[in-house]
Amino acid sequence: MQSSPTTPEAVRFRGVTRRFGDVRALDAVDVSISTGETVAVLGPNGAGKTTAIGLILGLTAPTAGSVETLGQSPSSAVSSGRVGAMLQASGLPSYVRVAELLEFTRRLYPEPLALSAILERAGLTPLRDRRIDQISGGEAQRLRFAMAIAGNPDLVILDEPTVAMDVETRRSFWADMRRSASEGRTILFATHYLEEADQVADRVLVLDRGTIVADGSGSAIRGRVHARTIRFDLPGADAEMLAGVAGVTAMDIHGDQVKLTSNDADETVHSIYAAGLAVRNIEVTGAGLEEAFLALTDPDRSQTETNR
Amino acid sequence: MTRLGQPLPIALQTVAAFVRLELRRVVRNRRYLIFGVAFPTVFYLLYTGVLSGAAARSDAPVDGTTWGAYFMVSMATYGAIVAALGGANLIAQDRASGWTRQLHVTPMRPVAYVLGKLIVSYVVTVPAVGGVLLVALAVNHVDLPPATWLEVLTVLALGALPFAALGLLIGYVFGPDGAQGAVILSFLALGVLGGLWAPISSFPESVATIGRVLPSYDLAELGREAVRGAAVDPAVVLALAAYAAVISALVGWRYRAAERRSDG
């Protein structure tokens, strides 16, 4: 592995805004990623993950601010062959075999890995002579991953890499990712699975509506989420009746059935009874990952966080 | 654009690797083999051998040569045009599938993509032209000096530049379905009006006037001059070069627009 001689930073965003028409896909983002870090960019669809990746790779330019990749402009970093990337569901050429495509990709880089090593790492050795139009969605994802590492890059960028992979493939994929990371590579991947971010990354950036709402280790982020789901029946329930209930971050009413997401279940339950609401069949459960994530990216919730 | 600042040896290696990959794709594509290589060869045989009425005998005199040699040039030109235009389908596919976007995140520069596609469009004309020539020689015993065979092949393959450029243009303007339609429409119009299916001298004067300004007519003229052993007419070469230049300029314009669109 060659390490960056000029700067320890693999990626640096300074006040980066990217606007598409009236939409601010990224809004004044400042972040820096050091060499050797494994970073997950976590966020719901439309949070700005793909835009951020496009900026790091020079596929798009910032509306304001500046982006540096490996201490240089993104397009020269990509041209130098020190960056490998796997884009979301990017196309693959028709009529070509797996090994042929990887051999071609190798030749684009100054210091590529050996073909056999690439095939082995991506678990593609048995598929080397298979035509690309005859492989499954999960196998195509492995092939895209293989293309990303073919050039033996210092920085690996992966946009939602495990989409379309089955559980087993996903497991071996991340095992290889950890191996790549242990060789000193910087890895940045986008995902909307909190679990993946938590298990694989040293650092998790949570992106929501174009801004970074949390930045820390997976466990630190998880610790910030104490969301619970509270379900009960309440005849004639409406949002107004429940407006005074404490700790609620999300509310879902279907007829008499109510589902609340709360960041303080004790307080919420207490205030339901204190308000004299005739609730029945009350049930408190740990929030699913999705609810936990909503709590984290909810604007009211983040306000509670900062006010604390 | 800083993207051109790549050391030359790697850039050449890149283009070579890309051309190899693309040639594999073209050769495995049945459409190319059927319409570019088999079709002109079979039609040549049909019109000179199997369908040999009195007017269509292979050794019948036409335009200072024999029908066998005359129609050989027509069908070889047609094959060259179909093969050269075929690049359009793969470019439109590459753009629609996002393969070009994936290439953008490798060290390969977009200009290497265009150059590679152009080279491939050129190379694939050789079997299309060669197939017809081979059949003319082997089946119809068209009698030409060895140097003339080589000249016809060279002239028709090299002269296909405007059509290779037109293929790129179609690939950058249309989506995969539209590109296929545009390619078929182009080679039919260029073939019929350019006098590749029936001699242009048999057309009504108004249609013949249109036909004579088409690059397909020019390319076939180059081939026929070679067959007759005449010197290359600079006016014809100039006309083809002008077509190539204008279409290439349009390609540059559409290509830059496509690059800007991919920026987002």
Side-chain angles (χ1 to χ4, degrees):
Chain A
M1 284 306 308
Q2 62 270 61
S3 61
S4 167
T6 47
T7 167
E9 276 165 5
V11 176
R12 173 149 195 107
F13 277 42
R14 287 191 187 88
V16 172
T17 295
R18 179 62 168 105
R19 222 179 278 124
F20 294 104
D22 292 336
V23 181
R24 274 168 193 263
L26 283 183
D27 195 1
V29 171
D30 280 291
V31 71
S32 132
I33 291 164
S34 305
T35 302
E37 276 190 297
T38 300
V39 178
V41 180
L42 182 67
N45 288 330
K49 303 190 296 288
T50 297
T51 304
I53 283 175
L55 287 162
I56 294 169
L57 295 171
L59 287 172
T60 182
T63 313
S66 72
V67 179
E68 267 182 19
T69 303
L70 298 169
Q72 49 195 320
S73 80
S75 60
S76 34
V78 169
S79 292
S80 74
R82 292 176 58 204
V83 183
M86 175 173 172
L87 301 177
Q88 214 179 117
S90 67
L92 296 168
S94 48
Y95 307 108
V96 176
R97 294 178 205 284
V98 167
E100 289 166 355
L101 182 61
L102 290 174
E103 185 55 39
F104 160 71
T105 309
R106 285 185 72 238
R107 287 176 185 276
L108 304 180
Y109 291 87
E111 293 167 55
L113 295 173
L115 179 61
S116 56
I118 301 167
L119 286 165
E120 192 247 305
R121 288 202 159 197
L124 289 170
T125 310
L127 298 174
R128 56 173 299 150
D129 294 322
R130 191 78 67 83
R131 282 263 290 265
I132 286 166
D133 19 349
Q134 290 160 359
I135 62 178
S136 72
E139 288 162 353
Q141 281 297 91
R142 268 147 59 189
L143 180 54
R144 291 189 186 96
F145 169 67
M147 289 175 64
I149 59 163
N152 195 17
D154 296 335
L155 173 63
V156 181
I157 308 279
L158 311 159
D159 195 356
E160 310 219 351
T162 57
V163 166
M165 284 186 187
D166 57 47
V167 178
E168 190 44 48
T169 312
R170 199 172 281 211
R171 193 172 299 141
S172 65
F173 175 81
W174 287 121
D176 183 74
M177 226 46 257
R178 285 199 197 89
R179 184 170 143 197
S180 291
S182 69
E183 290 168 342
R185 287 192 179 82
T186 309
I187 294 163
L188 183 143
F189 66 96
T191 180
H192 48 236
Y193 299 115
L194 191 57
E195 209 182 340
E196 277 184 1
D198 192 14
Q199 287 171 2
V200 183
D202 317 323
R203 181 177 168 196
V204 180
L205 296 172
V206 182
L207 208 57
D208 185 43
R209 276 165 284 191
T211 58
I212 293 174
V213 294
D215 180 353
S217 71
S219 53
I221 301 245
R222 201 174 262 282
R224 282 180 56 175
V225 174
H226 345 269
R228 295 288 183 276
T229 299
I230 300 163
R231 287 191 180 83
F232 51 83
D233 298 334
L234 176 61
D238 62 36
E240 208 179 316
M241 280 170 78
L242 298 165
V245 177
V248 176
T249 55
M251 194 184 292
D252 195 11
I253 303 172
H254 282 290
D256 293 347
Q257 294 179 330
V258 179
K259 184 178 129 188
L260 301 178
T261 305
S262 164
N263 56 30
D264 188 340
D266 296 336
E267 186 61 27
T268 302
V269 171
H270 180 78
S271 78
I272 286 169
Y273 286 112
L277 296 171
V279 301
R280 285 193 321 248
N281 301 329
I282 193 159
E283 183 188 278
V284 180
T285 52
L289 287 174
E290 199 181 329
E291 282 94 348
F293 188 72
L294 281 174
L296 197 60
T297 57
D298 182 273
D300 300 332
R301 168 67 184 165
S302 41
Q303 206 163 7
T304 338
E305 285 288 330
T306 47
N307 288 349
R308 232 184 358 197
Chain B
M1 264 184 124
T2 53
R3 292 182 157 193
L4 294 170
Q6 191 182 67
L8 193 62
I10 293 176
L12 284 179
Q13 186 188 329
T14 298
V15 174
F18 184 60
V19 166
R20 249 179 82 184
L21 185 80
E22 288 297 313
L23 280 176
R24 287 205 166 102
R25 294 177 72 191
V26 173
V27 170
R28 287 175 192 163
N29 184 342
R30 249 177 264 128
R31 201 181 294 151
Y32 161 73
L33 290 174
I34 293 171
F35 292 102
V37 182
F39 214 68
T41 308
V42 169
F43 262 82
Y44 173 72
L45 283 177
L46 279 177
Y47 277 90
T48 56
V50 184
L51 296 182
S52 56
R57 285 170 51 120
S58 180
D59 54 359
V62 177
D63 201 22
T65 176
T66 62
W67 173 243
Y70 181 93
F71 199 59
M72 170 188 84
V73 170
S74 299
M75 283 298 102
T77 305
Y78 186 69
I81 293 173
V82 173
L85 284 174
N89 294 311
L90 285 181
I91 294 174
Q93 252 182 47
D94 290 352
R95 291 175 51 232
S97 74
W99 170 235
T100 47
R101 198 173 161 81
Q102 177 66 41
L103 287 174
H104 271 81
V105 298
T106 71
M108 179 167 141
R109 302 291 37 104
V111 71
Y113 176 89
V114 177
L115 186 63
K117 289 282 186 183
L118 201 61
I119 292 171
V120 169
S121 297
Y122 248 132
V123 172
V124 298
T125 59
V126 175
V129 173
V132 178
L133 265 50
L134 205 66
V135 165
L137 176 69
V139 180
N140 279 339
H141 309 294
V142 169
D143 186 22
L144 296 171
T148 305
W149 285 109
L150 197 65
E151 194 189 340
V152 174
L153 179 65
T154 311
V155 154
L156 292 183
L158 286 183
L161 183 60
F163 308 101
L166 183 59
L168 293 183
L169 182 63
I170 291 171
Y172 276 105
V173 170
F174 295 94
D177 295 338
Q180 200 179 335
V183 164
I184 293 172
L185 206 68
S186 301
F187 68 62
L188 285 180
L190 287 165
V192 172
L193 293 174
L196 302 182
W197 290 99
I200 211 157
S201 51
S202 66
F203 292 179
E205 194 44 43
S206 54
V207 182
T209 311
I210 298 170
R212 283 196 192 92
V213 299
L214 291 178
S216 45
Y217 176 79
D218 291 328
L219 186 56
E221 272 303 288
L222 276 188
R224 287 186 195 114
E225 280 160 5
V227 163
R228 283 195 295 260
V232 171
D233 183 351
V236 176
V237 176
L238 207 65
L240 281 171
Y243 268 110
V246 170
I247 299 169
S248 299
L250 290 173
V251 171
W253 169 56
R254 291 318 305 166
Y255 159 78
R256 279 188 291 274
E259 287 297 300
R260 271 199 299 280
R261 252 199 318 284
S262 80
D263 175 38

